[in-house]
Amino acid sequence: SHIEAAMITLSTIPDVLSQIVNIAIINQPLCESKVSIREIKRAFEECGSYSTLLCCINEYVDSIEYKFVHAFANVTKHRQIIPTKYQVSIAPGPMESGLWIKEFEYKGVRYPESQAANTLESHVLAIEGRVVKILQKLIIELEGSGSAAVVD
């Protein structure tokens, strides 16, 4: 249950990030219930501004980590709990003991079995790095514009 909780928590980061961008930079903010990372991307694409910020958002949404966490959370919330298994290995070489996330599929994409601790750690670090980069670009855009609401 800790893995499910961690992945579902990670899956909310784009929503929180989208709310921040919506309030900070969009001239006529989207209705709160319609705010999503996809809608923020669409707003930037339509206005033709903030290409650096849009590029960072695209890198995040296109990342393996985002896709895995999004798929894991959606399968867990709307279909089934993704099975895990505990494995102990005494063989020489890399440790393969611990909790494993079994293979699953989401929207035709298969996600292979992976060691839960390694997957969670690497995804948290990668997502953290991408979110920090987006927030840094947002701050630069806000400082450069002199206004908190600039996308029509």
Side-chain angles (χ1 to χ4, degrees):
S1 66
H2 290 88
I3 297 299
E4 289 83 1
M7 291 293 185
I8 289 171
T9 300
L10 277 175
S11 76
T12 66
I13 290 173
D15 297 329
V16 174
L17 187 61
S18 297
Q19 291 290 350
I20 293 168
V21 171
N22 186 48
I23 291 168
I25 205 165
I26 296 184
N27 193 26
Q28 296 177 353
L30 302 167
C31 172
E32 183 181 320
S33 64
K34 299 208 185 275
V35 176
S36 70
I37 198 83
R38 302 261 182 231
E39 287 301 313
I40 295 297
K41 283 180 46 165
R42 187 188 55 73
F44 284 161
E45 289 165 352
E46 285 179 0
C47 79
S49 298
Y50 304 103
S51 59
T52 304
L53 184 56
L54 178 59
C55 182
C56 290
I57 291 171
N58 283 333
E59 286 174 5
Y60 177 38
V61 173
D62 293 340
S63 73
I64 293 167
E65 297 84 10
Y66 171 85
K67 290 176 182 176
F68 180 90
V69 169
H70 180 76
F72 186 99
N74 276 292
V75 168
T76 300
K77 291 188 302 185
H78 303 295
R79 295 186 191 163
Q80 68 178 14
I81 299 292
I82 295 172
T84 55
K85 68 176 184 176
Y86 190 77
Q87 177 175 308
V88 176
S89 174
I90 57 172
M95 284 297 291
E96 294 197 10
S97 298
L99 189 63
W100 287 72
I101 300 168
K102 290 194 174 185
E103 178 182 272
F104 67 98
E105 183 177 337
Y106 180 69
K107 292 189 175 183
V109 177
R110 290 191 114 14
Y111 294 89
E113 183 174 87
S114 61
Q115 195 171 28
N118 292 343
T119 299
L120 188 56
E121 180 181 4
S122 67
H123 287 27
V124 165
L125 292 173
I127 288 170
E128 176 186 35
R130 291 182 192 285
V131 169
V132 166
K133 187 175 176 182
I134 290 168
L135 292 173
Q136 288 171 335
K137 298 297 181 193
L138 177 61
I139 290 167
I140 290 167
E141 294 292 351
L142 290 171
E143 288 174 345
S145 72
S147 171
V150 291
V151 174
D152 287 324

